[in-house]
Amino acid sequence: MSLDPITPPPYRIKVVEPIPFLSADERRQALAEAGYNPFNLRADQITIDLLSDSGTGATSAAQEAAAALGDESYAGARSWFRFRDEVRDLTGYPHILPVHQGRAGERILFGSLLKAGQICVSNTHFDTTHANVRLTGAEPRDLPCPEAADLDSRAPFKGNIDLVALDRLLSGPEGHRVGLVLMTITNNGLGAQPVSMANIEAAGRLCRRHGVPFFLDAARFAENAWLVREREPGYGHRSPRQIATRAFQLADGCVVSLKKDGLTAIGGLIALRDDALHGACEANLIATEGFSTYGGLAGHDLERLAQGLREVVDPAYLRSRAASTARLAQMINDVGVDTVQPAGIHALYLNAGRLLPHLSPREFPGHSLGCQLYLDGGIRCAELGSLYLGGMDDQNQLVTPAPFELVRLAIPRRVYTDAHFEYVATVLAGIAKAPERVRGYRILSSPPLLRHFKVRLEPLPAGPGVTSA
Ligand SMILES: Cc1ncc(COP(=O)(O)O)c(C=O)c1O
């Protein structure tokens, strides 16, 4: 990826929103009231919000102009046809179903495709994807490629699925149980790493040979296409849109959260080739989301999406976004904090386990670092470590630690400038200078599913010789 600093965004800022700067005391109180779970903070208590890149981007003047044309007819709205044609043109799939966001698409697709006892295989299931597979009674199984286990390796496609393991599973005694293979592009659960076209193609071939449906979870289809263009031999001369279209062609269908690369606050879709599966999904959609020409979205949302899907594949936009994330990674690494390598686009993953060796996984070092970023700088982010992925007993004690203790800094699209990112790096530098002052946490209460969203915690007492954070 080019680190050339002369990659300004291909837009200028026209509408701005103030951000709050709380005092250290106010932040301490806010975090305590939130049960030490950043998901429970109020947006007006946050200076830089890197919790998610989902639905948090800025829209363009052209999107807002299109929104004014939104046709809110209950059925057959003009906005629906504009959206449908744009998605058909991009993906090549004949059947398009709109949904209000990605997980609604997951629920509908999995509900129509998966049966209890089956296995859904992925390079890595995203958390809601994992939960929606489980809700059908099927088993989610991740088969990430071996390179993904080395956080420091600069292998270009650490988001790939392990083709040897996939072949072994499909050909082995459990092969008949595999009901779906779902490739997440880019791999959000594993360091925002991209998936190569060669890997998508080979996985699709294996699935066809075994008669298993092969789908994409394509929330970041444009960013994956950009990284393919930059890193995979043979793609440098193709446009991101051509590469994305090719990826869609290699699969039987896709489920997409459009809150990322749709460049909108809300939206999602299911796109398919199979007529019977489309019929089943459509019936479910109408019963639970809305009629099949709006699927829980307003006409103005469909208009913003149709325009956003064009803007997101602009090479100038993708080049500047990739370069901006890479610059942030460089600043963070320069202050002594390691990130999962190589930098992806939508997020950076801090290696909290390495930065805070005085905290064991039972003390949730990723969560501790995330809380410290808030306490020191009003920065909100998400843990991706043992709090999120670890196995707990009935007393909420960690029994199986996650493989890594990471913190995800998600980068909203078209929202923050390099000056905001310099601030983030400066706050991290302060933590990296005295990491031993960061305290661990313990769980007070936790829900059974999707723990990280609603868990409540408290800080552990400072260790010997450690001043209070
Ligand atoms: C890879 C992936 N799949 C699915 C989803 C779910 O999408 P939504 O939040 O729109 O329900 C997300 C959301 O972050 C995601 O990153």
Side-chain angles (χ1 to χ4, degrees):
M1 185 186 306
S2 164
L3 277 177
D4 179 359
I6 310 168
T7 44
Y11 50 82
R12 58 184 177 174
I13 298 164
K14 189 159 169 169
V15 178
V16 297
E17 183 183 19
I19 54 177
F21 289 87
L22 275 63
S23 69
D25 274 348
E26 287 169 332
R27 290 195 297 265
R28 219 185 330 265
Q29 191 180 337
L31 193 61
E33 282 169 5
Y36 295 93
N37 182 345
F39 278 98
N40 292 334
L41 287 167
R42 295 165 52 115
D44 56 13
Q45 296 168 327
I46 294 155
T47 302
I48 306 282
D49 203 346
L50 305 182
L51 185 65
S52 179
D53 66 319
S54 180
T56 53
T59 49
S60 68
Q63 282 179 289
E64 292 309 315
L69 299 176
D71 175 357
E72 308 299 347
S73 303
Y74 184 87
R78 286 186 306 277
S79 304
W80 153 248
F81 291 107
R82 184 160 175 241
F83 170 81
R84 185 202 64 179
D85 293 349
E86 196 62 51
V87 177
R88 269 195 187 156
D89 201 42
L90 173 71
T91 64
Y93 298 123
H95 299 302
I96 314 295
L97 295 169
V99 289
H100 83 277
Q101 68 179 92
R103 68 199 70 183
E106 292 163 3
R107 177 179 51 74
I108 290 169
L109 180 69
F110 301 164
S112 306
L113 198 54
L114 286 172
K115 295 184 192 62
Q118 285 190 318
I119 302 171
C120 178
V121 185
S122 181
N123 46 346
T124 311
H125 292 84
F126 177 67
D127 57 8
T128 61
T129 322
H130 193 275
N132 274 305
V133 170
R134 277 182 56 187
L135 287 172
T136 66
E139 175 200 336
R141 199 174 291 181
D142 291 342
L143 297 178
C145 68
E147 304 90 283
D150 180 354
L151 302 185
D152 302 317
S153 142
R154 289 184 174 267
F157 290 105
K158 287 159 70 176
N160 283 351
I161 201 164
D162 183 338
L163 291 168
V164 175
L166 179 62
D167 193 14
R168 203 181 304 126
L169 175 61
L170 290 169
S171 314
E174 288 187 309
H176 68 283
R177 286 179 56 209
V178 179
L180 174 65
V181 174
L182 183 72
M183 187 78 99
T184 312
I185 62 169
T186 58
N187 195 335
N188 186 19
L190 264 187
Q193 300 295 310
V195 178
S196 72
M197 298 297 280
N199 193 256
I200 297 174
E201 193 164 2
R205 216 178 301 122
L206 280 175
C207 289
R208 266 192 307 284
R209 193 183 310 149
H210 291 273
V212 173
F214 177 58
F215 275 64
L216 301 181
D217 176 352
R220 300 176 182 85
F221 68 90
E223 295 181 356
N224 199 77
W226 180 258
L227 293 172
V228 163
R229 187 178 187 274
E230 293 289 283
R231 298 181 187 177
E232 189 163 355
Y235 286 91
H237 64 290
R238 302 220 195 155
S239 72
R241 188 182 170 96
Q242 285 171 330
I243 296 169
T245 301
R246 175 79 189 129
F248 287 120
Q249 280 169 0
L250 293 170
D252 299 314
C254 63
V255 59
V256 185
S257 166
L258 292 170
K259 298 175 68 173
K260 289 83 173 171
D261 279 350
L263 297 179
T264 52
I266 199 74
L269 63 86
I270 304 168
L272 305 160
R273 268 191 248 288
D274 187 87
D275 295 339
L277 181 58
H278 169 249
C281 288
E282 188 178 43
N284 192 332
L285 177 83
I286 296 171
T288 60
E289 281 282 286
F291 189 58
S292 42
T293 63
Y294 76 90
L297 294 166
H300 59 80
D301 296 324
L302 293 165
E303 292 284 350
R304 282 192 193 89
L305 280 165
Q307 175 64 24
L309 289 171
R310 291 191 164 206
E311 292 177 11
V312 77
V313 288
D314 172 8
Y317 158 73
L318 288 166
R319 179 179 296 112
S320 93
R321 178 161 161 80
S324 167
T325 304
R327 275 196 297 277
L328 175 59
Q330 192 63 57
M331 286 190 275
I332 291 173
N333 297 158
D334 287 349
V335 301
V337 179
D338 289 336
T339 49
V340 173
Q341 298 292 344
I345 298 184
H346 84 272
L348 291 172
Y349 296 67
L350 312 179
N351 192 336
R354 193 174 288 164
L355 183 69
L356 307 175
H358 62 290
L359 298 180
S360 75
R362 293 170 70 92
E363 296 162 302
F364 307 122
H367 186 74
S368 303
L369 179 57
C371 286
Q372 202 63 43
L373 276 162
Y374 181 73
L375 291 169
D376 289 1
I379 299 162
R380 176 160 76 165
C381 48
E383 189 251 20
L384 276 183
S386 290
L387 184 64
Y388 166 44
L389 292 166
M392 307 281 174
D393 65 16
D394 294 347
Q395 307 303 311
N396 290 321
Q397 292 294 318
L398 183 72
V399 283
T400 323
F404 305 108
E405 305 296 339
L406 304 177
V407 176
R408 188 185 76 164
L409 305 184
I411 318 286
R413 293 167 181 77
R414 308 192 286 202
V415 169
Y416 293 119
T417 65
D418 284 355
H420 295 108
F421 293 150
E422 275 171 35
Y423 171 80
V424 172
T426 306
V427 174
L428 265 170
I431 297 174
K433 269 191 201 125
E436 64 289 346
R437 80 189 166 93
V438 179
R439 286 156 64 170
Y441 285 79
R442 78 177 182 94
I443 295 177
L444 292 179
S445 64
S446 169
L449 196 63
L450 294 168
R451 173 172 56 225
H452 51 296
F453 287 119
K454 295 309 293 178
V455 64
R456 292 186 79 85
L457 304 100
E458 70 175 5
L460 292 164
V466 175
T467 51
S468 166

